[in-house]
Amino acid sequence: QVQLVESGGGLVQAGGSLRLSCAASGSIFSINAMGWYRQAPGNQRELVAAMTRGGSTNYADSVKGRFTISGDNAKNTVYLQMNRLKPEDTADYYCKISSRSSPHSALNDYWGHGTQVTVSS
């Protein structure tokens, strides 16, 4: 099994910054992709940013130029640097990884439990 532990959420004023971290541990041979998603009350969970093992990144239009996803392969950790935060960024943020437990095993997706981000106006 794989466990994901997120940290870094909190309350910040509009225009401020936060850095989220997600550390993965457990049966990990390799990580194929890492990503951050968010879900605001009453909304569906949406992709915020994702990064492949090769370093390719993808961002939601609403966060381009403000958020940056990065990873530390040695630590199996993914980060989300969030700058110029807006009240509409308020949500629970979840990390997800796609990983293998051995060289020939199937890819599996794992989710963290979420960390709350609140941006006040």
Side-chain angles (χ1 to χ4, degrees), residues 16-93:
S17 299
L18 284 174
R19 189 192 194 206
L20 306 183
S21 300
C22 174
S25 62
S27 301
I28 299 172
F29 172 77
S30 66
I31 295 177
N32 191 63
M34 294 178 163
W36 287 96
Y37 293 72
R38 67 186 180 187
Q39 187 168 16
N43 290 357
Q44 290 187 333
R45 191 171 296 186
E46 62 177 0
L47 173 70
V48 177
M51 184 173 69
T52 67
R53 184 179 182 180
S56 298
T57 58
N58 182 37
Y59 294 93
D61 288 342
S62 60
V63 307
K64 283 180 181 176
R66 300 189 297 123
F67 291 9
T68 303
I69 188 171
S70 62
D72 185 333
N73 290 333
K75 296 181 179 179
N76 288 335
T77 300
V78 60
Y79 305 97
L80 184 68
Q81 178 66 43
M82 305 186 293
N83 297 329
R84 302 199 312 274
L85 282 159
K86 304 176 181 180
E88 51 263 43
D89 294 319
T90 295
D92 291 326
Y93 284 70

